[in-house]
Amino acid sequence: MAQPPISEAESDFNPDSTDIGIDDPTNSIPLSTVPLLPAPSSSSSSASVSPPNPPSSPQPHLTLLSSISLILSLQIGSGIFSAPSQVSLHVPSPGVGITVWLVAGLLVWTGAATFIELGLRIPRNGGVQEYLRAAWGEFAAFVFVWVYWVIAKPAANAVVAGVGAEYVCGAFARGGKEAEAVSGWVVKIVALVGLWIVTGVNCLGARMGARAANGFLVLKVGVLLSIVGIGFVLLAMGRAPAADQEGFGWWSVQPLGEADRGDEVERSVWDWAGEFLIAIFGGLWCYGGWETIGFVAGEMKDPRRDLPRAINLSMTTVIVGFALLNASLYAVLPMDVVRKNLAVAVEFGSAVFGTSGALSYSILVSVSAWGALNSNVFSAGRLAAAASQRGYFPSIFGKNTHHQLEKDETEYYERTLSRVPRVLLYGIKSFAALTSDLRLLQEVPIYAMIINSLLASVFIMAGTFYGLVTFVGIIEYTFFFLTAAGLRNVRRSSSISKTIEPPPRTRTHNPVIFCILSAVLVLRGLIQDPLQAAFILLALLAAWGLWKVRKKDIDRMNDGN
């Protein structure tokens, strides 16, 4: 595939960035041990799997632990501590609820297995952007970048920041029990403050963001393990409040009632099948984040070894962890309590430890949300940096291809911003000088992260939780469908297959199942909310218009290679 031209000065500026270690046979692992992937042939065990990163890519530094941290920091976010309520509303018993989490995890794993092969073939920053480019061409990648980065990513950040703020405010309002006691505007302000603190941490550099992800991961896994451990200890001791009640059974049908009336509703087997499908959708939302590592794959020290391990270890951890967590919740909390309360972790803490437990879990879940936000901001910056090298975004959002020295940068601003008021220009130049080392020497996409957080701030102020969740889901799974469906094109691409030995192929049923799943999710969302469908159509049309504007620049960059 064509790469954007790199000047001689820029190549010298980052001399080590072309070597990411994937050609070393000692770095390869037996992919027969990777779940859902077949064993490779003996002829491919030590082959290179992709051309190295473009010379302009940041020097690889992400370890396996940092990569896993980024994925888990998104997957073990605020969703798993609120979605059990939504899932339980659509299942007849605790056993079926646990089954939903297992099935949803396995379905997502089919997508993860597909993305593993794509990531091994194209181990560069950009993730879905690069996969779509290889499968469907520049236009598909361009549309994805603009729609995903300008709309989906900021909206997702707004959701996570809002959840974190709700729990923070609830913790200090009524002992962690009632976040509704706090004004909605106060919650939004807290969400904005948290968003910008996390953005500031990531602007300090990739290593700082990765270290923060490691710290958040330890805390969030600790919260999950505490719920699992406490619940199973009480169950083993015969002191689990719900499991010890008369009539409790893991597979005992407990009829659902209307949420606002408490009336029991009799349902047929067909009705329960439909409810099970809706519950699956709720579980899928919590598993989101598995694809994030693709956005920073080019910064992994050894993508051939660590990419499959990072995704598969993360999926194994969350599937087992989410199933055990829900089993613990069902053992401690009655089914009707789980169904009626979104803050299930707070209810769990209250049932076991009283008010202090509710307060503690409220604070811990809020921190969990900030950890997910940290990973989101980190990956958004890397996606923009990769897009800028393709010409999709202005180069100033990523690596600075128009200058290398601070003096050159100052002249660039004076030339391109000549019509900007002098006061504003002075502020821009001062900020540029303050962050020059981070942007020019460490290649941190500060401008990209700041603009993405500005967009997220708009969604925080104007959006609602459920509306944004549906909106983001439709956009994400639309592009996930196109990505998985394009795997065959990537395999057949002459620019790849004629220059390298391909990695082992994922099993055929993985992309097929994932494409069907994605199509069902998107169609369901579009039918359920036609207004959002119209907005997404407008966003696609706007991206098409931007493509017309920037196409010449993109073609010129690629032709110059």
Side-chain angles (χ1 to χ4, degrees):
M1 293 181 291
Q3 303 288 342
I6 305 299
S7 66
E8 181 179 353
E10 184 172 4
S11 179
D12 293 340
F13 179 68
N14 191 16
D16 297 326
S17 63
T18 58
D19 182 11
I20 60 177
I22 61 174
D23 293 329
D24 183 358
T26 63
N27 288 336
S28 63
I29 63 171
L31 292 183
S32 59
T33 64
V34 176
L36 302 180
L37 281 175
S41 62
S42 58
S43 62
S44 63
S45 60
S46 63
S48 171
V49 296
S50 179
N53 280 350
S56 57
S57 297
Q59 183 174 352
H61 60 269
L62 291 180
T63 64
L64 175 61
L65 177 60
S66 296
S67 302
I68 294 175
S69 297
L70 289 176
I71 302 174
L72 292 184
S73 292
L74 282 174
Q75 291 187 303
I76 308 177
S78 57
I80 186 55
F81 302 113
S82 58
S85 174
Q86 297 299 304
V87 171
S88 298
L89 281 171
H90 303 284
V91 296
S93 66
V96 177
I98 296 171
T99 302
V100 164
W101 289 98
L102 294 173
V103 172
L106 292 176
L107 289 174
V108 169
W109 208 337
T110 62
T114 303
F115 275 52
I116 286 174
E117 181 181 343
L118 289 167
L120 290 175
R121 290 177 179 273
I122 314 171
R124 292 190 292 271
N125 281 3
V128 177
Q129 167 200 313
E130 292 299 310
Y131 307 157
L132 288 172
R133 182 177 183 269
W136 305 109
E138 294 282 1
F139 177 68
F142 181 89
V143 171
F144 162 75
V145 167
W146 276 96
V147 174
Y148 188 81
W149 195 85
V150 175
I151 298 178
K153 202 65 174 179
N157 288 352
V159 170
V160 178
V163 171
E166 288 278 358
Y167 274 94
V168 168
C169 294
F172 292 99
R174 296 184 182 179
K177 291 283 289 182
E178 296 291 343
E180 292 81 3
V182 181
S183 168
W185 286 107
V186 174
V187 174
K188 290 179 180 293
I189 291 174
V190 172
L192 289 174
V193 172
L195 169 67
W196 285 103
I197 290 176
V198 171
T199 302
V201 170
N202 278 274
C203 285
L204 295 178
R207 288 174 177 82
M208 181 64 70
R211 289 168 185 167
N214 291 341
F216 280 124
L217 173 64
V218 172
L219 179 62
K220 293 192 294 183
V221 171
V223 175
L224 188 149
L225 292 178
S226 70
I227 295 177
V228 173
I230 292 171
F232 276 86
V233 167
L234 292 176
L235 189 62
M237 296 174 61
R239 298 175 57 184
D244 291 341
Q245 289 183 355
E246 184 178 354
F248 174 85
W250 291 102
W251 301 97
S252 298
V253 175
Q254 302 180 34
L256 298 180
E258 297 295 335
D260 55 348
R261 299 202 317 264
D263 299 333
E264 290 190 356
V265 178
E266 295 295 333
R267 300 172 187 268
S268 65
V269 174
W270 178 256
D271 290 334
W272 278 120
E275 295 290 339
F276 185 84
L277 181 61
I278 296 175
I280 289 288
F281 294 153
L284 292 175
W285 176 62
C286 287
Y287 284 107
W290 51 270
E291 78 289 349
T292 305
I293 194 61
F295 295 145
V296 294
E299 296 181 42
M300 298 178 70
K301 289 184 176 180
D302 189 348
R304 179 181 177 86
R305 181 194 66 186
D306 291 344
L307 181 62
R309 288 181 175 180
I311 294 179
N312 285 301
L313 287 174
S314 299
M315 289 304 307
T316 302
T317 300
V318 294
I319 290 176
V320 174
F322 288 3
L324 293 178
L325 181 140
N326 279 270
S328 182
L329 291 175
Y330 289 133
V332 173
L333 301 175
M335 192 72 167
D336 60 334
V337 173
V338 178
R339 287 169 175 167
K340 294 178 181 178
N341 294 275
L342 283 174
V344 290
V346 176
E347 294 296 329
F348 179 90
S350 178
V352 177
F353 300 111
T355 302
S356 62
L359 176 62
S360 298
Y361 275 107
S362 183
I363 295 175
L364 290 172
V365 171
S366 68
V367 175
S368 174
W370 300 125
L373 184 62
N374 174 73
S375 294
N376 259 334
V377 171
F378 181 85
S379 61
R382 276 14 190 209
L383 174 60
S388 69
Q389 295 184 42
R390 294 295 185 198
Y392 304 160
F393 283 177
S395 60
I396 199 170
F397 283 1
K399 272 187 59 65
N400 296 278
T401 56
H402 48 270
H403 45 66
Q404 290 299 326
L405 301 176
E406 186 174 347
K407 179 182 178 181
D408 298 331
E409 185 177 55
T410 300
E411 295 175 354
Y412 169 82
Y413 289 132
E414 291 179 347
R415 182 175 66 256
T416 57
L417 303 178
S418 58
R419 297 184 180 180
V420 174
R422 300 299 299 178
V423 174
L424 181 58
L425 178 60
Y426 176 79
I428 294 175
K429 290 167 60 178
S430 298
F431 180 79
L434 182 65
T435 60
S436 61
D437 286 347
L438 288 170
R439 292 182 294 102
L440 300 180
L441 299 182
Q442 299 185 35
E443 302 174 3
V444 180
I446 291 178
Y447 293 151
M449 289 189 285
I450 289 177
I451 292 178
N452 197 260
S453 292
L454 284 172
L455 294 171
S457 299
V458 173
F459 283 109
I460 288 175
M461 301 304 294
T464 63
F465 175 81
Y466 292 106
L468 290 176
V469 167
T470 302
F471 188 52
V472 172
I474 294 174
I475 295 175
E476 286 187 339
Y477 274 88
T478 296
F479 289 110
F480 289 168
F481 170 83
L482 293 173
T483 302
L487 176 60
R488 183 179 180 183
N489 292 344
V490 173
R491 291 172 175 172
R492 299 172 61 184
S493 173
S494 59
S495 61
I496 297 176
S497 61
K498 291 183 179 180
T499 59
I500 65 172
E501 184 76 20
R505 296 188 176 191
T506 186
R507 301 188 188 279
T508 304
H509 65 264
N510 288 326
V512 172
I513 293 175
F514 189 71
C515 283
I516 294 174
L517 171 68
S518 300
V520 172
L521 281 172
V522 171
L523 290 175
R524 175 180 175 271
L526 294 177
I527 294 173
Q528 182 178 355
D529 197 332
L531 183 61
Q532 287 191 349
F535 187 83
I536 293 174
L537 178 60
L538 289 176
L540 293 174
L541 292 175
W544 176 77
L546 289 170
W547 166 258
K548 292 293 185 180
V549 173
R550 296 197 60 85
K551 186 175 186 300
K552 291 183 179 180
D553 292 336
I554 296 172
D555 291 340
R556 183 166 58 251
M557 292 181 68
N558 291 331
D559 291 341
N561 187 35

